[in-house]
Coordinates of all heavy atoms in Angstrom, one line a residue:
M1 N 44.8 100.5 105.2 CA 43.4 100.7 104.7 C 42.8 99.3 104.6 O 43.4 98.4 104.0 CB 43.4 101.3 103.4 CG 42.1 101.5 102.8 SD 42.2 102.4 101.3 CE 40.6 102.8 101.0
K2 N 41.7 99.1 105.2 CA 41.0 97.8 105.2 C 40.2 97.7 103.9 O 39.7 98.6 103.3 CB 40.0 97.7 106.4 CG 40.7 97.7 107.7 CD 39.8 97.3 108.9 CE 38.4 97.9 108.8 NZ 37.6 97.6 110.0
N3 N 40.1 96.4 103.5 CA 39.3 96.1 102.3 C 38.0 95.3 102.6 O 37.5 94.6 101.8 CB 40.1 95.4 101.2 CG 40.7 94.1 101.7 OD1 40.7 93.9 102.9 ND2 41.1 93.2 100.8
F4 N 37.6 95.4 103.9 CA 36.4 94.7 104.3 C 35.6 95.5 105.3 O 36.1 96.4 106.0 CB 36.8 93.3 104.9 CG 37.5 93.4 106.2 CD1 36.9 93.4 107.4 CD2 38.9 93.4 106.2 CE1 37.6 93.5 108.6 CE2 39.6 93.5 107.4 CZ 39.0 93.5 108.6
W5 N 34.4 95.1 105.5 CA 33.5 95.7 106.5 C 32.9 94.6 107.3 O 32.3 93.7 106.7 CB 32.4 96.6 105.8 CG 32.9 97.7 105.0 CD1 33.1 98.9 105.4 CD2 33.2 97.6 103.6 NE1 33.6 99.7 104.3 CE2 33.6 98.9 103.2 CE3 33.1 96.6 102.6 CZ2 34.0 99.2 101.9 CZ3 33.5 96.9 101.3 CH2 33.9 98.2 101.0
R6 N 32.9 94.8 108.6 CA 32.2 93.8 109.5 C 30.8 94.3 109.6 O 30.6 95.4 110.1 CB 32.9 93.7 110.8 CG 32.5 92.6 111.6 CD 33.4 92.5 112.9 NE 33.0 91.3 113.6 CZ 33.8 90.6 114.4 NH1 35.1 91.0 114.5 NH2 33.4 89.6 115.0
M7 N 29.8 93.5 109.3 CA 28.4 93.9 109.3 C 27.8 93.6 110.7 O 28.2 92.7 111.3 CB 27.6 93.2 108.2 CG 28.3 93.2 106.8 SD 28.5 94.8 106.2 CE 27.0 95.1 105.4
R8 N 26.8 94.4 111.0 CA 26.1 94.1 112.3 C 25.1 93.0 112.1 O 24.4 93.0 111.1 CB 25.4 95.4 112.8 CG 26.4 96.4 113.2 CD 25.6 97.6 113.8 NE 26.6 98.6 114.1 CZ 26.3 99.6 114.9 NH1 25.1 99.8 115.5 NH2 27.2 100.5 115.2
D9 N 25.1 92.1 113.1 CA 24.2 91.0 113.0 C 24.1 90.4 114.4 O 25.0 90.6 115.2 CB 24.6 89.9 112.0 CG 23.6 88.9 111.8 OD1 22.4 89.3 111.6 OD2 23.9 87.7 111.8
F10 N 23.0 89.8 114.7 CA 22.8 89.2 116.0 C 23.0 87.7 116.1 O 22.4 87.0 116.9 CB 21.4 89.6 116.5 CG 21.2 91.1 116.6 CD1 20.4 91.7 115.7 CD2 21.8 91.8 117.7 CE1 20.3 93.1 115.8 CE2 21.7 93.1 117.8 CZ 20.9 93.8 116.9
S11 N 23.8 87.2 115.2 CA 24.1 85.8 115.1 C 25.0 85.4 116.3 O 26.0 86.1 116.6 CB 24.7 85.4 113.8 OG 25.0 84.0 113.8
V12 N 24.8 84.2 116.9 CA 25.6 83.7 118.0 C 26.9 83.1 117.5 O 27.9 83.1 118.1 CB 24.8 82.7 118.8 CG1 25.6 82.1 119.9 CG2 23.5 83.4 119.4
F13 N 26.8 82.4 116.3 CA 27.9 81.6 115.8 C 28.7 82.2 114.7 O 29.7 81.7 114.4 CB 27.3 80.2 115.4 CG 26.7 79.5 116.5 CD1 25.3 79.3 116.5 CD2 27.4 78.9 117.5 CE1 24.6 78.6 117.5 CE2 26.8 78.2 118.5 CZ 25.4 78.1 118.5
S14 N 28.2 83.2 114.0 CA 28.9 83.7 112.8 C 28.9 85.2 112.8 O 28.2 85.9 113.5 CB 28.2 83.2 111.6 OG 26.8 83.6 111.5
V15 N 29.8 85.7 111.9 CA 30.0 87.1 111.6 C 29.8 87.4 110.2 O 30.3 86.6 109.3 CB 31.4 87.6 112.0 CG1 31.6 89.0 111.8 CG2 31.7 87.2 113.5
H16 N 29.0 88.4 109.8 CA 28.8 88.8 108.5 C 29.8 89.8 108.0 O 30.1 90.8 108.7 CB 27.4 89.3 108.3 CG 26.3 88.3 108.5 ND1 25.6 87.7 107.5 CD2 25.9 87.7 109.6 CE1 24.8 86.8 108.0 NE2 24.9 86.8 109.3
Y17 N 30.3 89.7 106.8 CA 31.3 90.6 106.2 C 30.9 91.0 104.8 O 30.2 90.2 104.1 CB 32.6 89.9 106.1 CG 33.4 89.7 107.4 CD1 33.3 88.5 108.1 CD2 34.1 90.8 107.9 CE1 34.0 88.4 109.3 CE2 34.8 90.6 109.1 CZ 34.8 89.4 109.8 OH 35.4 89.2 111.0
A18 N 31.4 92.1 104.4 CA 31.5 92.5 103.0 C 32.9 92.9 102.7 O 33.5 93.5 103.5 CB 30.5 93.7 102.7
Y19 N 33.4 92.4 101.6 CA 34.8 92.7 101.2 C 35.0 93.0 99.7 O 34.2 92.5 98.9 CB 35.8 91.7 101.7 CG 35.7 90.3 101.0 CD1 36.5 90.0 99.9 CD2 34.8 89.3 101.5 CE1 36.4 88.8 99.3 CE2 34.7 88.1 100.9 CZ 35.5 87.8 99.8 OH 35.4 86.6 99.2
V20 N 36.1 93.7 99.4 CA 36.4 94.0 98.0 C 37.4 93.0 97.5 O 38.4 92.7 98.1 CB 36.9 95.4 97.9 CG1 37.3 95.7 96.4 CG2 35.9 96.4 98.4
D21 N 37.1 92.4 96.3 CA 38.0 91.4 95.7 C 38.1 91.7 94.2 O 37.2 92.4 93.6 CB 37.4 90.0 96.0 CG 38.5 88.9 95.7 OD1 39.6 89.2 95.4 OD2 38.1 87.7 95.9
H22 N 39.1 91.2 93.6 CA 39.3 91.3 92.2 C 38.3 90.3 91.5 O 37.9 89.3 92.1 CB 40.7 90.9 91.8 CG 41.1 91.2 90.4 ND1 41.0 90.2 89.4 CD2 41.5 92.3 89.8 CE1 41.3 90.7 88.3 NE2 41.6 92.0 88.5
G23 N 38.0 90.5 90.3 CA 37.0 89.7 89.5 C 37.5 88.3 89.4 O 36.6 87.4 89.2
S24 N 38.7 88.0 89.6 CA 39.2 86.6 89.5 C 39.2 85.9 90.9 O 39.7 84.8 91.0 CB 40.6 86.5 88.9 OG 41.5 87.3 89.7
Y25 N 38.6 86.5 91.8 CA 38.3 86.0 93.2 C 39.6 85.5 93.9 O 39.8 84.3 94.2 CB 37.3 84.8 93.1 CG 36.0 85.3 92.5 CD1 35.7 84.9 91.2 CD2 35.1 86.1 93.2 CE1 34.5 85.3 90.6 CE2 33.9 86.5 92.6 CZ 33.6 86.1 91.3 OH 32.5 86.5 90.7
L26 N 40.6 86.4 94.0 CA 41.9 86.1 94.6 C 41.7 85.6 96.1 O 42.5 84.8 96.6 CB 42.8 87.2 94.5 CG 43.1 87.6 93.0 CD1 44.0 88.9 93.0 CD2 43.9 86.5 92.3
A27 N 40.8 86.2 96.8 CA 40.6 85.9 98.2 C 40.3 84.4 98.4 O 40.7 83.8 99.4 CB 39.6 86.8 98.9
D28 N 39.5 83.8 97.5 CA 39.1 82.4 97.7 C 40.3 81.5 97.8 O 40.3 80.6 98.6 CB 38.3 82.0 96.4 CG 37.0 82.7 96.4 OD1 36.6 83.4 97.3 OD2 36.2 82.4 95.4
Q29 N 41.4 81.8 97.1 CA 42.6 80.9 97.2 C 43.2 81.0 98.6 O 43.6 80.0 99.2 CB 43.6 81.4 96.2 CG 43.2 81.2 94.8 CD 44.1 82.0 93.8 OE1 45.1 82.5 94.2 NE2 43.7 81.9 92.5
L30 N 43.2 82.2 99.2 CA 43.7 82.4 100.5 C 42.8 81.7 101.6 O 43.4 81.1 102.5 CB 43.8 83.9 100.9 CG 44.8 84.7 100.1 CD1 44.6 86.2 100.4 CD2 46.2 84.2 100.5
F31 N 41.5 81.7 101.4 CA 40.6 81.0 102.4 C 40.8 79.5 102.3 O 40.9 78.9 103.4 CB 39.2 81.4 102.1 CG 38.8 82.8 102.1 CD1 37.9 83.4 101.3 CD2 39.5 83.7 103.0 CE1 37.6 84.7 101.3 CE2 39.2 85.0 103.0 CZ 38.2 85.5 102.2
V32 N 41.0 79.0 101.1 CA 41.2 77.5 101.0 C 42.6 77.2 101.6 O 42.7 76.2 102.3 CB 41.1 77.1 99.5 CG1 41.6 75.7 99.4 CG2 39.7 77.3 99.0
Q33 N 43.6 77.9 101.3 CA 44.9 77.7 101.8 C 45.0 77.7 103.3 O 45.7 76.9 103.9 CB 45.8 78.8 101.2 CG 47.3 78.5 101.3 CD 48.1 79.6 100.6 OE1 47.7 80.8 100.6 NE2 49.2 79.2 100.0
N34 N 44.3 78.6 103.9 CA 44.3 78.7 105.4 C 43.1 78.1 106.1 O 42.9 78.3 107.3 CB 44.4 80.2 105.8 CG 45.7 80.8 105.3 OD1 46.8 80.2 105.5 ND2 45.7 82.0 104.7
R35 N 42.3 77.3 105.3 CA 41.2 76.6 105.9 C 40.2 77.4 106.7 O 39.8 77.1 107.8 CB 41.7 75.4 106.7 CG 42.5 74.4 105.9 CD 43.0 73.3 106.8 NE 43.8 72.4 105.9 CZ 44.5 71.4 106.3 NH1 44.5 71.1 107.6 NH2 45.2 70.7 105.5
V36 N 39.8 78.5 106.1 CA 38.8 79.4 106.6 C 37.5 79.1 105.9 O 37.4 79.1 104.7 CB 39.2 80.9 106.4 CG1 38.1 81.8 107.0 CG2 40.5 81.2 107.1
R37 N 36.5 78.7 106.7 CA 35.2 78.4 106.2 C 34.4 79.6 105.9 O 34.1 80.4 106.9 CB 34.4 77.4 107.1 CG 35.0 76.1 107.2 CD 34.3 75.2 108.1 NE 35.3 74.4 108.9 CZ 35.3 74.3 110.2 NH1 34.3 74.8 110.9 NH2 36.2 73.6 110.7
V38 N 34.0 79.9 104.7 CA 33.3 81.1 104.3 C 32.0 80.6 103.6 O 32.1 79.8 102.7 CB 34.1 82.0 103.4 CG1 33.3 83.2 103.0 CG2 35.4 82.3 104.0
R39 N 30.9 81.2 104.0 CA 29.6 81.0 103.3 C 29.3 82.2 102.5 O 29.1 83.3 103.1 CB 28.5 80.6 104.3 CG 28.8 79.3 105.0 CD 27.6 78.8 105.7 NE 26.6 78.4 104.7 CZ 25.4 78.1 105.1 NH1 25.0 78.2 106.3 NH2 24.5 77.8 104.2
F40 N 29.3 82.1 101.2 CA 29.1 83.3 100.4 C 27.6 83.6 100.2 O 26.8 82.6 100.0 CB 29.7 83.1 99.0 CG 31.2 83.0 99.1 CD1 31.8 81.7 99.1 CD2 32.0 84.1 99.3 CE1 33.2 81.6 99.2 CE2 33.4 84.0 99.4 CZ 34.0 82.8 99.3
K41 N 27.2 84.8 100.4 CA 25.8 85.2 100.4 C 25.4 86.0 99.1 O 24.2 86.0 98.8 CB 25.4 86.1 101.6 CG 25.6 85.3 102.9 CD 24.7 84.1 102.9 CE 24.5 83.6 104.3 NZ 23.5 82.5 104.2
G42 N 26.3 86.6 98.5 CA 26.0 87.3 97.3 C 27.2 88.2 96.9 O 28.2 88.3 97.6
E43 N 27.0 88.9 95.7 CA 28.1 89.8 95.3 C 27.5 90.9 94.5 O 26.4 90.8 94.0 CB 29.2 89.1 94.5 CG 28.8 88.7 93.1 CD 30.0 88.1 92.4 OE1 30.4 87.0 92.9 OE2 30.5 88.6 91.4
M44 N 28.2 92.0 94.4 CA 27.7 93.2 93.7 C 28.9 93.7 92.9 O 30.1 93.7 93.3 CB 27.3 94.2 94.7 CG 26.6 95.4 94.2 SD 25.9 96.4 95.5 CE 27.4 97.1 96.2
R45 N 28.6 94.0 91.6 CA 29.7 94.5 90.7 C 29.2 95.4 89.7 O 28.0 95.4 89.3 CB 30.4 93.4 90.1 CG 29.6 92.4 89.3 CD 30.4 91.4 88.5 NE 30.0 90.1 88.9 CZ 30.6 89.0 88.5 NH1 31.6 89.1 87.7 NH2 30.2 87.8 88.9
R46 N 30.0 96.3 89.2 CA 29.7 97.2 88.1 C 30.3 96.6 86.8 O 31.4 96.0 86.8 CB 30.3 98.6 88.3 CG 29.6 99.3 89.4 CD 30.1 100.6 89.7 NE 30.3 101.4 88.4 CZ 30.5 102.6 88.3 NH1 30.6 103.4 89.4 NH2 30.7 103.2 87.2
E47 N 29.7 96.9 85.7 CA 30.2 96.3 84.4 C 31.5 96.9 84.0 O 32.3 96.3 83.4 CB 29.2 96.6 83.3 CG 27.9 95.8 83.5 CD 26.9 96.1 82.4 OE1 27.3 96.6 81.3 OE2 25.7 95.7 82.6
D48 N 31.8 98.2 84.4 CA 33.0 98.8 84.0 C 34.2 98.8 85.0 O 35.1 99.5 85.0 CB 32.7 100.3 83.7 CG 32.2 101.1 84.9 OD1 31.8 100.4 85.9 OD2 32.2 102.3 84.9
S49 N 34.1 97.8 86.0 CA 35.1 97.7 87.0 C 35.7 96.2 87.0 O 35.0 95.3 86.7 CB 34.5 98.0 88.4 OG 35.5 97.8 89.4
H50 N 36.9 96.1 87.5 CA 37.5 94.8 87.7 C 37.3 94.3 89.1 O 37.8 93.2 89.4 CB 39.1 95.0 87.4 CG 39.4 95.4 86.0 ND1 39.2 94.6 84.9 CD2 39.9 96.5 85.6 CE1 39.6 95.2 83.8 NE2 40.0 96.4 84.2
Y51 N 36.6 95.0 89.9 CA 36.5 94.6 91.3 C 35.0 94.3 91.7 O 34.1 94.8 91.0 CB 37.0 95.7 92.2 CG 38.5 95.9 92.0 CD1 39.0 96.9 91.1 CD2 39.4 95.1 92.6 CE1 40.3 97.0 90.9 CE2 40.8 95.2 92.3 CZ 41.2 96.2 91.5 OH 42.6 96.3 91.3
C52 N 34.8 93.5 92.7 CA 33.5 93.1 93.2 C 33.5 93.3 94.7 O 34.5 93.3 95.4 CB 33.3 91.6 92.9 SG 33.6 91.1 91.2
I53 N 32.3 93.5 95.2 CA 32.0 93.5 96.6 C 31.3 92.2 96.9 O 30.3 91.9 96.3 CB 31.2 94.7 97.1 CG1 31.9 96.0 96.8 CG2 30.9 94.5 98.6 CD1 31.1 97.2 97.1
I54 N 31.9 91.4 97.8 CA 31.4 90.1 98.1 C 30.8 90.1 99.5 O 31.4 90.6 100.5 CB 32.5 89.0 98.1 CG1 33.4 89.1 96.9 CG2 32.0 87.6 98.4 CD1 32.6 88.6 95.6
F55 N 29.6 89.5 99.7 CA 28.9 89.4 101.0 C 29.0 88.0 101.4 O 28.7 87.1 100.7 CB 27.5 89.9 100.9 CG 27.3 91.3 100.4 CD1 27.2 91.6 99.1 CD2 27.3 92.3 101.3 CE1 27.0 92.9 98.7 CE2 27.2 93.6 100.9 CZ 27.0 93.9 99.6
C56 N 29.4 87.8 102.7 CA 29.6 86.4 103.2 C 29.4 86.3 104.7 O 29.2 87.3 105.4 CB 31.0 85.9 102.8 SG 32.3 86.8 103.7
K57 N 29.5 85.1 105.2 CA 29.3 84.8 106.6 C 30.4 83.9 107.0 O 30.8 82.9 106.3 CB 27.9 84.2 106.8 CG 27.6 83.9 108.2 CD 26.1 83.5 108.4 CE 25.7 82.2 107.8 NZ 24.4 81.8 108.2
V58 N 31.1 84.1 108.2 CA 32.2 83.4 108.6 C 31.9 83.0 110.1 O 31.4 83.8 110.9 CB 33.5 84.2 108.6 CG1 34.7 83.5 109.1 CG2 33.8 84.7 107.2
L59 N 32.3 81.8 110.5 CA 32.1 81.4 111.9 C 33.0 82.3 112.7 O 34.1 82.7 112.3 CB 32.6 79.9 112.0 CG 31.8 78.9 111.4 CD1 32.4 77.5 111.6 CD2 30.4 78.8 112.0
K60 N 32.5 82.6 113.9 CA 33.2 83.5 114.8 C 34.6 83.0 115.1 O 35.5 83.8 115.2 CB 32.4 83.7 116.1 CG 31.3 84.7 115.9 CD 30.7 85.0 117.3 CE 29.5 86.0 117.0 NZ 28.9 86.5 118.2
R61 N 34.8 81.7 115.2 CA 36.1 81.1 115.5 C 37.1 81.3 114.4 O 38.3 81.3 114.6 CB 36.0 79.7 115.9 CG 35.6 78.8 114.8 CD 35.5 77.4 115.2 NE 35.1 76.6 114.1 CZ 34.4 75.4 114.3 NH1 34.1 75.0 115.5 NH2 34.0 74.8 113.2
D62 N 36.6 81.6 113.2 CA 37.4 81.8 112.0 C 37.6 83.2 111.6 O 38.3 83.6 110.7 CB 36.9 81.0 110.8 CG 37.0 79.5 110.9 OD1 37.8 79.1 111.7 OD2 36.2 78.8 110.2
A63 N 36.9 84.1 112.3 CA 36.9 85.6 112.0 C 38.3 86.2 112.0 O 38.6 87.0 111.1 CB 36.0 86.3 112.9
K64 N 39.1 85.9 112.9 CA 40.4 86.5 113.0 C 41.3 86.1 111.8 O 41.9 86.9 111.1 CB 41.1 86.1 114.3 CG 42.5 86.7 114.4 CD 43.2 86.3 115.8 CE 44.5 87.0 115.8 NZ 45.2 86.6 117.0
R65 N 41.3 84.8 111.4 CA 42.0 84.3 110.3 C 41.5 84.9 109.0 O 42.2 85.2 108.1 CB 42.0 82.8 110.2 CG 42.9 82.1 111.3 CD 43.0 80.7 111.2 NE 41.6 80.1 111.2 CZ 41.3 78.9 110.8 NH1 42.3 78.1 110.3 NH2 40.1 78.4 110.9
F66 N 40.1 85.0 108.9 CA 39.5 85.6 107.8 C 40.0 87.1 107.5 O 40.4 87.4 106.4 CB 38.0 85.6 107.9 CG 37.2 86.3 106.9 CD1 36.9 85.7 105.7 CD2 36.8 87.6 107.0 CE1 36.2 86.3 104.7 CE2 36.1 88.3 106.0 CZ 35.8 87.6 104.9
E67 N 40.1 87.8 108.6 CA 40.6 89.2 108.5 C 42.1 89.3 108.2 O 42.5 90.1 107.4 CB 40.3 90.0 109.8 CG 38.8 90.2 110.0 CD 38.4 91.0 111.2 OE1 39.4 91.5 111.9 OE2 37.2 91.0 111.6
E68 N 42.8 88.3 108.7 CA 44.3 88.2 108.4 C 44.4 87.9 106.9 O 45.3 88.5 106.2 CB 45.0 87.2 109.2 CG 45.1 87.6 110.7 CD 45.6 86.5 111.6 OE1 45.7 85.3 111.1 OE2 45.8 86.8 112.8
D69 N 43.6 87.0 106.4 CA 43.7 86.7 104.9 C 43.4 87.9 104.1 O 44.0 88.1 103.0 CB 42.8 85.5 104.6 CG 43.3 84.2 105.1 OD1 44.5 84.1 105.5 OD2 42.5 83.2 105.1
L70 N 42.4 88.6 104.4 CA 42.0 89.8 103.6 C 43.1 90.9 103.7 O 43.3 91.6 102.8 CB 40.7 90.4 104.1 CG 39.5 89.5 103.7 CD1 38.2 90.2 104.3 CD2 39.4 89.4 102.2
A71 N 43.8 90.9 104.8 CA 45.0 91.9 104.9 C 46.1 91.4 103.9 O 46.8 92.3 103.4 CB 45.5 91.9 106.3
R72 N 46.2 90.1 103.7 CA 47.3 89.6 102.8 C 46.8 89.7 101.3 O 47.6 89.6 100.4 CB 47.6 88.2 103.1 CG 48.6 88.1 104.2 CD 49.0 86.6 104.4 NE 47.8 85.9 104.9 CZ 47.8 85.2 106.0 NH1 48.9 85.1 106.7 NH2 46.7 84.6 106.5
L73 N 45.6 90.0 101.1 CA 45.0 90.0 99.7 C 45.7 91.1 98.9 O 45.9 90.9 97.7 CB 43.5 90.3 99.8 CG 42.8 90.3 98.5 CD1 42.9 88.9 97.8 CD2 41.3 90.6 98.7
K74 N 46.1 92.2 99.5 CA 46.8 93.3 98.7 C 48.1 92.8 98.2 O 48.6 93.4 97.3 CB 46.9 94.5 99.6 CG 47.8 94.4 100.7 CD 47.9 95.7 101.5 CE 48.7 95.5 102.8 NZ 48.7 96.6 103.6
D75 N 48.7 91.8 98.7 CA 50.0 91.3 98.3 C 49.9 90.3 97.1 O 50.9 89.9 96.5 CB 50.7 90.6 99.4 CG 51.1 91.5 100.5 OD1 51.2 92.7 100.3 OD2 51.2 91.1 101.7
K76 N 48.6 89.9 96.8 CA 48.5 88.9 95.7 C 48.7 89.6 94.4 O 48.3 90.7 94.2 CB 47.0 88.3 95.7 CG 46.7 87.5 96.9 CD 47.4 86.2 96.9 CE 46.7 85.3 96.0 NZ 47.2 83.9 95.9
N77 N 49.3 88.9 93.5 CA 49.5 89.4 92.1 C 48.4 89.0 91.2 O 48.1 87.8 91.1 CB 50.9 88.9 91.6 CG 51.2 89.5 90.3 OD1 50.5 90.3 89.7 ND2 52.3 89.0 89.7
T78 N 47.8 89.9 90.6 CA 46.6 89.6 89.7 C 47.1 89.1 88.3 O 46.3 88.6 87.6 CB 45.7 90.8 89.5 OG1 46.4 91.9 88.9 CG2 45.1 91.3 90.8
G79 N 48.3 89.3 88.0 CA 48.8 88.9 86.6 C 48.1 89.8 85.6 O 48.1 91.1 85.8
E80 N 47.4 89.3 84.7 CA 46.6 90.1 83.8 C 45.3 90.4 84.4 O 44.7 89.6 85.1 CB 46.4 89.4 82.5 CG 47.6 89.1 81.7 CD 47.3 88.5 80.3 OE1 46.2 88.7 79.8 OE2 48.2 87.8 79.8
I81 N 44.8 91.6 84.2 CA 43.6 92.0 84.8 C 42.4 91.4 83.9 O 42.4 91.6 82.7 CB 43.4 93.6 84.8 CG1 44.5 94.1 85.8 CG2 42.0 94.0 85.3 CD1 44.5 95.6 85.9
E82 N 41.5 90.8 84.6 CA 40.4 90.1 83.9 C 39.1 90.9 84.2 O 39.1 91.7 85.2 CB 40.2 88.7 84.4 CG 41.4 87.8 84.2 CD 41.2 86.5 84.9 OE1 40.1 86.2 85.3 OE2 42.2 85.7 85.0
E83 N 38.2 90.7 83.4 CA 36.9 91.4 83.6 C 36.2 90.7 84.8 O 36.3 89.5 85.0 CB 36.0 91.3 82.4 CG 36.4 92.2 81.3 CD 36.4 93.7 81.7 OE1 35.4 94.0 82.3 OE2 37.3 94.4 81.3
C84 N 35.4 91.4 85.6 CA 34.7 90.9 86.7 C 33.4 90.3 86.2 O 32.8 90.7 85.4 CB 34.5 92.0 87.7 SG 33.7 91.5 89.2

């Protein structure tokens, strides 16, 4: 099961995504670790949930690594659950 959506856009150099992340932003650590450049555009969250939907833009050359990092996100340990 995927935790991201590839959005339609007519950009030549980048791909737009929306993905689900924990309130402690676990995916950010993976992006930094694997040197994936991500431009964050916004986020959406509910007050009663520990999860957020993040909207971002990734260079086309980094898109494959971005998707691989999100696939590894389910293996991250959240420790204590924090509020989003």
Side-chain angles (χ1 to χ4, degrees):
M1 178 177 196
K2 293 191 321 186
N3 59 342
F4 66 90
W5 300 271
R6 191 173 184 152
M7 312 299 275
R8 288 186 185 196
D9 189 44
F10 297 106
S11 177
V12 176
F13 300 108
S14 62
V15 181
H16 291 255
Y17 286 96
Y19 67 92
V20 178
D21 197 359
H22 189 265
S24 56
Y25 305 106
L26 297 174
D28 292 356
Q29 298 167 4
L30 291 171
F31 301 147
V32 170
Q33 191 176 37
N34 294 318
R35 298 181 182 173
V36 176
R37 292 179 220 134
V38 179
R39 296 191 68 190
F40 297 100
K41 296 301 198 176
E43 78 179 58
M44 194 171 67
R45 59 174 121 183
R46 288 180 48 166
E47 292 179 19
D48 61 342
S49 178
H50 297 289
Y51 298 96
C52 307
I53 298 176
I54 310 291
F55 299 93
C56 65
K57 183 165 70 167
V58 177
L59 292 174
K60 283 190 177 180
R61 67 178 178 210
D62 292 336
K64 181 178 178 183
R65 287 186 302 163
F66 176 82
E67 292 181 11
E68 290 170 355
D69 285 347
L70 287 178
R72 279 188 289 241
L73 184 61
K74 66 182 176 183
D75 296 332
K76 294 287 283 184
N77 184 3
T78 60
E80 291 185 27
I81 296 178
E82 301 174 13
E83 286 297 318
C84 187

